[in-house]
């Protein structure tokens, strides 16, 4: 295994070539400030719209990637909307989701959908996740790992359904990080944070874009307006 | 990978004569350029964001020792381990050790140019492991026993027909009469084959696009989602990366991400951007149980504080490659090592030595497009010139070239003599080439003129014309007075 001496040799070479010792208060201070404050840089105009515009921008951006986007009035109407989409896609009325409290409250009794919970299984056709936040600037969902929304649900099944509360839709990546910092504490992240901006794709053969490489072939997003 | 960069000239000649390669290159190259141009035009802040990205990296490099220490501490706090490797050999040994300890058999790999840099696959195979590339392009080059020809599109040099032939040759369990004429069919077949490997894998190895000191995260960007399955499914995840990938915090990553995909593929953002921070937490139902980061130096610390430091800003977007006329003509394999195109011409001599890679900085027409499209504003042509100077100083360039340059520079430092020698010579060439206007052959320049013509001089040197112009101005001024 690597020894302390390799580490010291690398850090030492860096210091020698930068002409630094490592204990200069000025350098240390600059670094500490930058870590503790993470000051924002340039935020593009397109990342700073108001909510109505953000919704349009987010929807248009995802649709341009072949994503289905449905606006749903409230959580009560969500199971019905999901059932409709599964039927449209010709998929079995089954899905798997995690322990997210919001998903746990959904009442599926008016639909034929059977739900299971936990991490993804290989033969799962459809999964359902809740995005903790999203950014309108590029139509990007932000998903975090854990029992609430196991990360394998984002990648193994061929169809991935994602619920986003409209109130969780941010403009910029930076705002989305602020929300995540508020949940996990500054400087801490869960094991996996996924930005998802479309279904899996590959352009490795003659630069032709083909959807459905290793991850989901289909992505559908449900924007729930409820406050 | 064993470098063959010293063979750039014969490699390039062979590439130009390879009609299949030329067909693949012609199909592939125009797309990237127009997509980047469109993505840039749709983001008014693009140029300002590039300037900012440059500043972020400059700041990080100037404080790299401190950010590395913080990064290591954060990885450890999140339950992961950081390993330091000065050389490719040390990195290979560390990785083999982790794989052995995990009792691994199948090892899935996300695309990693650093893994190519340390020739990881041959080492894993020699130790009895089965490494499987999972990026589609990288998988294709693996079954062809080749190496990537482009840092973001490993199979850039291949046509669909070639991929079809490779799949038929290697996927022998599948129906012989299946249709494989559409890219969709090829992608679906690879998905099926690799799904099985993902499930079997004991260890997953990926690279990283960025390392974030604030949180101890490794960031990886893909369109396929292969890096995510490589990270999430095996028991052990190893991130193999290099020390200059660091950025201070999540705002800094956000800023650079805005120019990365736009410069690379012309997308606003790639389909997946993943922030990996340590192993699964207690109670988590998925994710790796162990998480290692192998930090390789391999010559990078020596680039700091010197003329090639700016190259450490490179985010491997491939834009300079996509816009390089030389790469467009010969493809990536001619460069003979891991990093092709302008970024490779600068980086390769730093990593494997000017003796081995001295030809690469010469593989440039100095058109300057690479620097213009580099989101990190790396002065690539200037750095190639630095390497040419080094190559010259170290006596690596051919004798006849060295002698002519020496003679010319001796002469050029003596203006009187220069004029007296060059004046008649230019007059002579001007007379000689007057009729055709250009030369197809000249003594000692036969090779150089084989593929181009030299315009004949106007018959008068710049000095003479300048003198005439000055005289004319003085006369005109006199008249007006
Ligand atoms: S040198 Fe610049 S353009 Fe080339 S790969 Fe690196 S960042 Fe991209």
């Amino acid at each position: 295994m690597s020894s302390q001496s390799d580490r010291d040799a690398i850090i030492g070479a860096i210091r020698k070539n930068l002409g630094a010792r490592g204990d200069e208060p000025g350098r240390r201070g600059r670094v500490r400030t930058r870590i503790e404050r993470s000051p924002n840089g340039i935020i593009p105009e397109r990342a700073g719209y108001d909510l109505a515009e953000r919704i349009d921008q987010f929807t248009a951006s995802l649709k341009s990637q072949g994503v289905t986007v449905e606006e749903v009035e409230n959580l009560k109407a969500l199971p019905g909307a999901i059932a409709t989409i599964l039927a449209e896609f010709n998929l079995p009325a089954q899905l798997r989701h995690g322990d997210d409290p919001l998903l746990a409250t959904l009442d599926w009794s008016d639909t034929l959908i059977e739900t299971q919970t936990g991490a993804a299984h290989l033969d799962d056709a459809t999964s359902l996740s809740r995005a903790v936040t999203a950014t309108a600037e590029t139509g990007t969902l932000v998903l975090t790992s854990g029992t609430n929304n196991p990360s394998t649900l984002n990648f193994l099944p061929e169809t991935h359904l994602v619920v986003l509360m409209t109130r969780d839709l941010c403009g910029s990546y930076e705002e989305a990080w602020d929300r995540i910092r508020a949940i996990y504490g500054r400087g801490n992240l869960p094991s996996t944070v996924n930005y998802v901006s479309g279904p899996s794709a590959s352009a490795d053969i003659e630069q032709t874009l083909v959807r459905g490489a290793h991850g989901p072939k289909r992505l559908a997003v449900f924007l729930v307006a409820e406050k | 990978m064993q470098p063959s960069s010293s063979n750039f000239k014969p490699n390039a000649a062979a590439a130009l004569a390879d009609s299949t390669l030329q067909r693949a290159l012609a199909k592939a190259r125009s797309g990237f350029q127009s997509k980047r141009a469109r993505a840039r035009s749709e983001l008014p802040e693009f140029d300002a964001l590039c300037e900012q990205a440059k500043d972020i990296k400059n700041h990080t490099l100037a404080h790299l020792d401190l950010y590395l220490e913080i990064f290591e501490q954060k990885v450890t706090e999140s339950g992961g381990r950081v390993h330091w490797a000065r050389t490719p050999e040390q990195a290979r040994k560390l990785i083999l050790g982790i794989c052995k300890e995990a009792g691994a058999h199948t090892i899935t790999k996300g695309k990693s140019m650093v893994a190519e840099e340390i020739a990881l696959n041959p080492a894993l195979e020699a130790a009895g492991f089965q490494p499987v590339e999972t990026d589609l392009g990288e998988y294709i080059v693996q079954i062809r026993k080749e190496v990537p020809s482009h840092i973001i599109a490993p199979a850039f040099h291949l046509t669909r027909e070639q991929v079809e032939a490779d799949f038929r040759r290697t996927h022998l369990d599948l129906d012989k009469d299946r249709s494989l004429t559409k890219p969709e069919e090829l992608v679906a077949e690879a998905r099926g084959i690799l799904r099985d490997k993902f499930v079997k894998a004991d260890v997953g190895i990926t690279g990283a696009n960025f390392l974030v000191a604030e949180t101890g995260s490794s960031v990886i960007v893909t369109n396929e989602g292969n890096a995510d399955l490589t990270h999430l499914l095996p028991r052990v995840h190893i991130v193999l990366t290099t020390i200059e990938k660091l950025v201070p915090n999540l705002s800094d990553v956000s800023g650079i991400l805005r120019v990365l995909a736009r410069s690379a593929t012309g997308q606003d953002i790639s389909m997946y951007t993943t922030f990996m921070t340590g192993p699964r937490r207690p109670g988590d139902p998925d994710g790796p149980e162990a998480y290692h980061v192998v930090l390789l130096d391999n010559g990078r610390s020596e680039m700091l504080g010197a003329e090639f430091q700016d190259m450490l800003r490179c985010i491997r977007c491939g834009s300079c490659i996509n816009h390089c006329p030389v790469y467009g003509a010969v493809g990536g394999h001619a460069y003979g090592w891991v990093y092709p195109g302008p970024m490779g011409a600068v980086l390769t001599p730093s990593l494997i030595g000017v003796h081995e890679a001295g030809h690469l900085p010469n593989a440039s027409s100095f058109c300057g497009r690479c620097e213009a499209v580099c989101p990190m504003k790396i002065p690539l042509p200037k750095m190639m010139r630095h390497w040419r100077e080094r190559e010259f100083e170290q006596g690596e360039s051919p004798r006849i070239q060295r002698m002519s340059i020496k003679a010319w520079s001796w002469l050029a430092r003596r203006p009187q003599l220069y004029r007296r020698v060059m004046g008649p010579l230019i007059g002579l060439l001007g007379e000689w080439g007057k009729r055709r206007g250009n030369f197809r052959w000249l003594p000692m320049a036969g090779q150089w003129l084989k593929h181009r013509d030299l315009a004949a001089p106007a018959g008068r040197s710049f000095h003479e014309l300048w003198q005439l112009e000055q005289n004319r101005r003085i006369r005109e001024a006199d008249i007006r007075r």
Side-chain angles (χ1 to χ4, degrees):
Chain A
M1 297 285 112
S2 86
S3 64
Q4 187 68 21
S5 70
D6 294 315
R7 176 190 188 279
D8 294 348
I10 294 172
I11 300 269
I14 294 170
R15 292 207 167 120
K16 188 189 91 216
N17 291 317
L18 288 176
R21 288 189 318 271
D23 59 357
E24 300 88 342
R27 286 177 86 236
R28 289 206 162 262
R30 275 194 295 280
V31 166
R32 203 178 326 112
T33 315
R34 189 122 178 179
I35 295 278
E36 284 170 7
R37 304 232 180 100
S38 335
N40 283 349
I42 302 164
I43 309 284
E45 199 190 321
R46 63 184 275 165
Y49 297 146
D50 66 26
L51 184 63
E53 278 175 297
R54 282 209 294 278
I55 293 172
D56 290 346
Q57 184 188 19
F58 178 73
T59 306
S61 175
L62 283 170
K63 283 191 171 162
S64 75
Q65 302 304 318
V67 179
T68 307
V69 184
E70 294 289 328
E71 291 193 40
V72 183
E73 194 102 348
N74 50 38
L75 284 170
K76 243 182 105 204
L78 186 57
I82 289 175
T84 310
I85 288 288
L86 289 187
E88 247 172 58
F89 289 164
N90 268 326
L91 289 168
Q94 281 170 344
L95 56 81
R96 188 185 297 279
H97 62 75
D99 298 339
D100 194 291
L102 185 133
L103 301 179
T105 62
L106 297 178
D107 177 6
W108 302 93
S109 59
D110 283 347
T111 70
L112 296 172
I113 295 177
E114 277 173 49
T115 63
Q116 288 174 297
T117 53
H121 290 209
L122 276 178
D123 49 6
D124 289 345
T126 307
S127 57
L128 172 67
S129 311
R130 179 193 174 186
V132 281
T133 179
T135 67
E137 72 166 298
T138 47
T140 300
L141 300 156
V142 183
L143 298 123
T144 49
S145 61
T147 42
N148 284 356
N149 292 283
S151 301
T152 44
L153 295 177
N154 309 343
F155 294 97
L156 278 177
E158 283 202 358
T159 302
H160 188 205
L161 314 177
V162 181
V163 180
L164 176 71
M165 301 304 286
T166 308
R167 60 170 189 256
D168 293 332
L169 177 59
C170 298
S172 65
Y173 306 132
E174 286 84 345
E175 280 173 72
W177 283 123
D178 282 339
R179 289 189 177 228
I180 292 191
R181 287 188 187 108
I183 303 171
Y184 294 91
R186 177 166 278 283
N188 297 313
L189 287 181
S191 174
T192 305
V193 177
N194 292 120
Y195 279 6
V196 176
S197 309
S200 154
S202 175
D204 273 346
I205 298 170
E206 291 186 347
Q207 316 316 112
T208 313
L209 190 83
V210 177
R211 297 200 199 284
H214 292 296
K217 290 184 178 164
R218 249 189 246 108
L219 178 64
V221 176
F222 299 87
L223 259 174
V224 183
E226 192 172 300
K227 292 272 152 50
Chain B
M1 148 184 191
Q2 203 48 39
S4 67
S5 305
S6 57
N7 289 337
F8 181 78
K9 283 186 190 177
N11 289 352
L16 286 166
D18 180 341
S19 62
T20 317
L21 173 66
Q22 290 301 323
R23 224 175 328 122
L25 290 174
K27 269 195 184 169
R29 93 189 127 215
S30 61
F32 275 141
Q33 297 186 6
S34 56
K35 284 181 204 149
R36 174 198 171 268
R38 198 190 44 85
R40 173 173 177 258
S41 72
E42 285 174 6
L43 185 67
E45 297 88 350
F46 184 86
D47 291 342
L49 284 162
C50 291
E51 230 14 89
Q52 172 183 276
K54 168 186 165 181
D55 294 343
I56 291 171
K57 274 289 190 181
N58 281 348
H59 165 83
T60 315
L61 292 171
H63 301 85
L64 189 59
D65 50 332
L66 303 178
Y67 282 119
L68 281 167
E69 287 176 348
I70 297 174
F71 174 77
E72 180 182 39
Q73 189 197 333
K74 292 305 287 186
V75 173
T76 314
E77 278 173 23
S78 66
R81 262 197 77 176
V82 173
H83 310 261
W84 303 75
R86 270 178 298 147
T87 63
E89 199 199 337
Q90 284 178 337
R92 287 193 300 264
K93 234 169 93 189
L94 283 164
I95 292 171
L96 289 177
I98 298 169
C99 293
K100 272 186 202 137
E101 204 184 280
H105 174 72
T106 304
I107 298 171
T108 41
K109 288 182 66 217
K111 196 174 81 65
S112 156
M113 295 314 292
V114 179
E116 300 290 338
E117 189 179 322
I118 68 165
L120 183 58
N121 282 355
L124 289 171
E125 279 165 12
F129 301 113
Q130 197 202 2
V132 183
E133 295 294 345
T134 62
D135 171 84
L136 177 60
E138 189 90 36
Y139 172 72
I140 294 167
V141 300
Q142 188 186 27
I143 61 176
R144 291 174 62 86
K145 299 195 177 7
E146 286 182 342
V147 291
S149 63
H150 190 297
I151 58 172
I152 67 160
F156 195 78
H157 60 294
L158 298 173
T159 61
R160 190 203 53 76
E161 289 81 3
Q162 285 172 296
V163 179
E164 174 179 354
D166 292 321
F167 279 18
R168 291 196 188 282
R169 178 174 56 76
T170 43
H171 302 161
L172 294 173
D173 289 346
L174 301 176
D175 179 11
K176 269 218 275 323
D177 300 322
R178 68 194 187 280
S179 164
L180 278 180
T181 48
K182 292 197 220 101
E184 287 81 0
E185 292 166 332
L186 293 161
V187 172
E189 180 160 316
R191 178 188 169 108
I193 300 247
L194 288 168
R195 201 31 98 85
D196 189 43
K197 308 284 185 195
F198 277 127
V199 176
K200 281 201 194 122
D202 314 289
V203 174
I205 301 175
T206 65
N209 292 79
F210 305 101
L211 304 173
V212 187
E214 177 189 354
T215 52
S217 310
S218 310
V219 184
I220 194 152
V221 173
T222 74
N223 279 321
E224 297 184 8
N226 64 307
D228 293 287
L229 291 173
T230 307
H231 155 65
L232 289 172
L233 296 184
R235 277 179 286 123
V236 179
H237 181 202
I238 305 172
V239 178
L240 167 61
T241 186
T242 47
I243 54 173
E244 86 285 12
K245 296 278 179 347
L246 223 66
V247 293
N249 60 50
L250 294 166
S251 304
D252 294 320
V253 177
S254 305
I256 301 181
L257 278 174
R258 289 194 178 98
V259 297
L260 172 59
R262 289 183 172 97
S263 299
T265 51
Q267 293 167 285
D268 290 344
I269 188 168
S270 303
M271 298 300 176
Y272 302 113
T273 301
T274 302
F275 299 76
M276 302 168 295
T277 315
R280 68 165 81 175
R281 305 295 192 266
D284 281 2
D286 54 16
E289 288 158 26
Y291 177 86
H292 301 268
V293 181
V294 175
L295 276 178
L296 173 71
D297 179 347
N298 196 24
R300 288 161 174 86
S301 58
E302 293 303 325
M303 291 164 73
L304 285 168
E307 58 201 316
F308 298 107
Q309 170 168 328
D310 289 347
M311 193 59 214
L312 294 174
R313 289 202 299 265
C314 175
I315 54 171
R316 308 287 188 265
C317 70
S319 184
C320 58
I321 300 174
N322 295 338
H323 291 79
C324 175
V326 177
Y327 178 94
V330 301
H333 287 159
Y335 290 81
W337 201 56
V338 179
Y339 302 105
M343 57 83 68
V346 174
L347 194 59
T348 307
S350 295
L351 301 185
I352 64 174
V354 68
H355 174 73
E356 181 62 49
H359 277 318
L360 299 186
N362 293 320
S364 163
S365 63
F366 285 85
C367 68
R369 268 208 270 173
C370 49
E371 182 175 359
V373 299
C374 173
M376 305 309 287
K377 308 267 170 191
I378 299 171
L380 293 155
K382 189 180 93 193
M383 295 182 145
M384 284 186 249
R385 243 181 349 257
H386 283 326
W387 276 125
R388 285 191 184 190
E389 284 158 20
R390 286 253 188 118
E391 186 197 19
F392 185 80
E393 281 160 18
Q394 294 181 12
E396 301 278 357
S397 41
R399 240 174 75 93
I400 182 133
Q401 190 182 324
R402 299 173 58 75
M403 276 166 34
S404 338
I405 294 175
K406 272 205 180 139
W408 183 83
S409 78
W410 183 84
L411 203 58
R413 268 177 280 132
R414 291 162 179 79
Q416 292 290 334
L417 190 63
Y418 183 89
R419 252 164 262 160
R420 263 199 269 150
V421 175
M422 293 311 264
L425 202 62
I426 284 166
L428 182 70
L429 281 177
E431 261 318 293
W432 196 10
K434 207 177 198 167
R435 214 145 36 100
R436 275 181 48 90
N438 58 31
F439 295 101
R440 288 190 174 160
W441 182 87
L442 280 173
M444 297 208 302
Q447 278 299 325
W448 195 80
L449 288 172
K450 210 159 146 188
H451 300 288
R452 38 169 110 62
D453 295 338
L454 176 70
R460 280 178 165 159
S461 72
F462 174 75
H463 279 128
E464 283 177 63
L465 290 173
W466 181 249
Q467 205 51 58
L468 286 175
E469 175 66 17
Q470 291 299 89
N471 293 345
R472 190 181 60 80
R473 284 195 197 170
I474 293 167
R475 271 201 312 277
E476 277 178 11
D478 282 348
I479 292 166
R480 258 183 267 130
R481 214 189 288 140

